[in-house]
Amino acid sequence: MRSEAMCRLLVTHSRRVKLKQFLLNMRAVLWAMFDGLAVLTSSREPRRNLILVIRLDAIGDFVLWLDAARALVHRYRAQGYSVVLVGNSAWGRWAREMGVANEIWEIDVRRFIGNLLYRWRWLHRIRKAGFKIAIQPTYSRDFLVGDSLVRSSCADQRIGSVGDEANIAPQLKSWSDRWYTRLVPATSMKLMELSRNAEFMRGLGFTDFVARVPTIAQISNIGNVGTNWLPRRPYAVLSVAASWQGREWPIANFIDIGQRLVIYGLHVVVVGAPADRCRFFNLFNALQDKVTDLVGKTTLGDLAEVLRCATVVVTNETSAVHMGAAVGSPVVCVLGGGHFGRFAPYETEVTEGDRYLPIFVSVKMECFGCNWHCKYSRQRKEAVKCINDISVEKVWSAVETVLNAHKRLRE
């Protein structure tokens, strides 16, 4: 009887998913018709020495792409082009601070999808700019965002990855494939994102490009992290939130880790976005005066410096993993199976001395690679099974490995 109930639940869930996907596909078709009208009614400047690069995914993806971005911009600048990076507003300001491209145009992705006037203005701006070449290096392309912006550019060359169907329905992908003049081949084998970026770059002709952990250099005079906010003694960073609560290790487990770090002699610094604050009350209450609250108080540039100075960073699978690795901090990450092998664990093509690679802690399951479509039932705000099953002891063992290595370096 229990097995039959589970089967009925899975069938119902499958039907809901299919209906939701159908409605999303219909919306995408309507938006594409709207985009076509926007392009037809927009004026176009003569072709100029402008390169458009479109990268609109999240902060962590941007960090993993940084090496490729720098190589791309350097090559085209040397050829006399000016490079405009159309990026996600979540990290656009930070990219500007780092000087990633000649210009950074920031798009609020949610508004671009949901606000037709906002969408129209962006389509018009990109059409009018007169780009010679448009490049979208994202492997898992998005029909409504990246593909649509490439289409609106009307550039002489429109280059993208052949990609996969993780974020796009097959019929829509077949349609948007035709908006490109060139699709760079990509293996269908699973690749870690650093290797996937290298594959695209080599397909573009950057034959010497290899997959390595990006480096984020310290930017002088950025914020006041070192003088006003951080404790003067050694500290650990806890990054407790994630983009979806199903990917968040239980807060009680982070409290346990925090208390052990305090016993070890470390102060604890908690970081996160402003919207996360309400979820951290129990953590702040448990650690009392042994915790520094930086939730919602740092820019991305500031956060990079907070992570750079940490003895250890303990985090869910979120941007703090990749930022911590890029600034050279020891990172311990609680890793679920939704995208296992895609963004973590790390795989590189070069070894760079004693540079830290993140330590990923997981409990392997046969359903890894589910794209976070978990087949196990859970409460609404509860973590999925592959994350919930990771024990405090397993994570603390990884943290101890980092702390012991740090102790040996000081001796």
Side-chain angles (χ1 to χ4, degrees):
M1 292 294 291
R2 187 174 180 180
S3 177
E4 290 177 5
M6 179 63 74
C7 287
R8 285 196 297 271
L9 183 64
L10 290 173
V11 168
T12 301
H13 175 70
S14 176
R15 287 173 178 169
R16 287 175 179 169
V17 169
K18 287 179 180 178
L19 176 60
K20 181 180 179 180
Q21 189 60 55
F22 173 77
L23 294 174
L24 289 174
N25 291 347
M26 289 301 298
R27 183 182 68 166
V29 170
L30 292 173
W31 261 228
M33 294 169 64
F34 172 87
D35 294 351
L37 181 63
V39 170
L40 287 174
T41 56
S42 300
S43 60
R44 184 175 64 183
E45 295 289 333
R47 292 289 187 261
R48 298 185 287 163
N49 282 351
L50 283 178
I51 304 289
L52 171 66
V53 180
I54 298 168
R55 188 84 200 202
L56 288 161
D57 31 25
I59 299 167
D61 307 270
F62 167 66
V63 173
L64 290 172
W65 178 66
L66 261 176
D67 263 8
R70 289 166 177 153
L72 201 64
V73 171
H74 178 77
R75 171 78 63 87
Y76 282 115
R77 277 178 174 169
Q79 295 175 3
Y81 288 97
S82 181
V83 181
V84 175
L85 171 60
V86 172
N88 194 315
S89 58
W91 48 260
R93 174 185 167 186
W94 188 35
R96 190 175 297 109
E97 290 170 351
M98 290 191 288
V100 174
N102 294 86
E103 294 182 52
I104 310 290
W105 295 358
E106 301 177 43
I107 288 185
D108 182 324
V109 175
R110 288 187 179 182
R111 283 187 68 193
F112 186 75
I113 294 173
N115 185 315
L116 289 180
L117 179 59
Y118 183 81
R119 186 181 186 88
W120 180 284
R121 287 171 176 167
W122 270 109
L123 295 172
H124 176 77
R125 181 180 182 182
I126 288 177
R127 162 79 164 175
K128 186 178 179 180
F131 293 103
K132 267 194 174 180
I133 303 173
I135 302 171
Q136 197 210 172
T138 304
Y139 175 68
S140 294
R141 290 166 20 210
D142 188 302
F143 181 88
L144 279 176
V145 186
D147 285 356
S148 295
L149 290 171
V150 167
R151 178 194 187 192
S152 71
S153 74
C154 298
D156 294 336
Q157 297 179 53
R158 299 180 299 280
I159 305 168
S161 170
V162 69
D164 64 3
E165 296 171 0
N167 294 333
I168 188 171
Q171 303 91 329
L172 296 178
K173 185 177 183 299
S174 178
W175 185 5
S176 64
D177 280 351
R178 296 195 289 270
W179 297 343
Y180 294 83
T181 61
R182 178 186 171 194
L183 289 173
V184 176
T187 178
S188 59
M189 293 172 55
K190 182 180 289 185
L191 288 181
M192 195 264 162
E193 192 74 354
L194 292 171
S195 298
R196 186 66 74 185
N197 291 333
E199 176 188 57
F200 182 82
M201 293 295 285
R202 291 194 285 260
L204 274 183
F206 293 70
T207 54
D208 296 332
F209 190 89
V210 294
R212 57 163 50 92
V213 180
T215 299
I216 297 174
Q218 185 169 1
I219 303 174
S220 59
N221 300 321
I222 185 166
N224 57 357
V225 174
T227 57
N228 293 339
W229 292 341
L230 296 183
R232 295 183 181 276
R233 50 192 156 174
Y235 64 87
V237 172
L238 297 184
S239 178
V240 180
S243 58
W244 173 54
Q245 286 185 301
R247 296 168 63 171
E248 294 180 356
W249 203 42
I251 194 72
N253 294 349
F254 274 106
I255 291 172
D256 196 332
I257 294 293
Q259 290 171 333
R260 297 185 191 205
L261 289 167
V262 169
I263 292 171
Y264 187 87
L266 295 174
H267 195 82
V268 173
V269 175
V270 181
V271 299
D276 301 328
R277 174 171 298 282
C278 62
R279 308 216 293 275
F280 295 165
F281 175 79
N282 290 338
L283 176 61
F284 294 139
N285 191 50
L287 299 181
Q288 299 283 326
D289 61 334
K290 303 296 184 181
V291 63
T292 295
D293 171 15
L294 293 186
V295 178
K297 298 178 181 178
T298 60
T299 65
L300 290 178
D302 291 333
L303 177 58
E305 299 314 310
V306 172
L307 298 175
R308 190 189 306 277
C309 299
T311 301
V312 64
V313 178
V314 186
T315 177
N316 288 304
E317 187 197 356
T318 185
S319 58
V321 177
H322 311 300
M323 291 177 69
V327 299
S329 287
V331 177
V332 174
C333 173
V334 178
L335 179 64
H339 294 146
F340 193 90
R342 173 73 186 273
F343 304 100
Y346 273 29
E347 292 179 4
T348 61
E349 295 171 345
V350 290
T351 303
E352 298 179 272
D354 57 355
R355 188 172 181 188
Y356 294 110
L357 288 181
I359 298 173
F360 294 95
V361 183
S362 59
V363 175
K364 203 70 183 287
M365 298 175 66
E366 49 82 24
C367 52
F368 270 25
C370 67
N371 204 21
W372 298 115
H373 300 303
C374 186
K375 66 181 183 180
Y376 294 95
S377 60
R378 65 183 185 89
Q379 299 299 317
R380 188 170 66 89
K381 295 184 178 181
E382 185 182 29
V384 293
K385 180 175 173 57
C386 58
I387 290 177
N388 242 348
D389 284 356
I390 299 172
S391 69
V392 170
E393 293 305 323
K394 191 166 187 178
V395 173
W396 181 247
S397 176
V399 172
E400 278 192 313
T401 299
V402 171
L403 296 178
N404 290 336
H406 180 75
K407 184 177 179 180
R408 285 195 298 270
L409 285 175
R410 290 186 300 168
E411 291 175 347

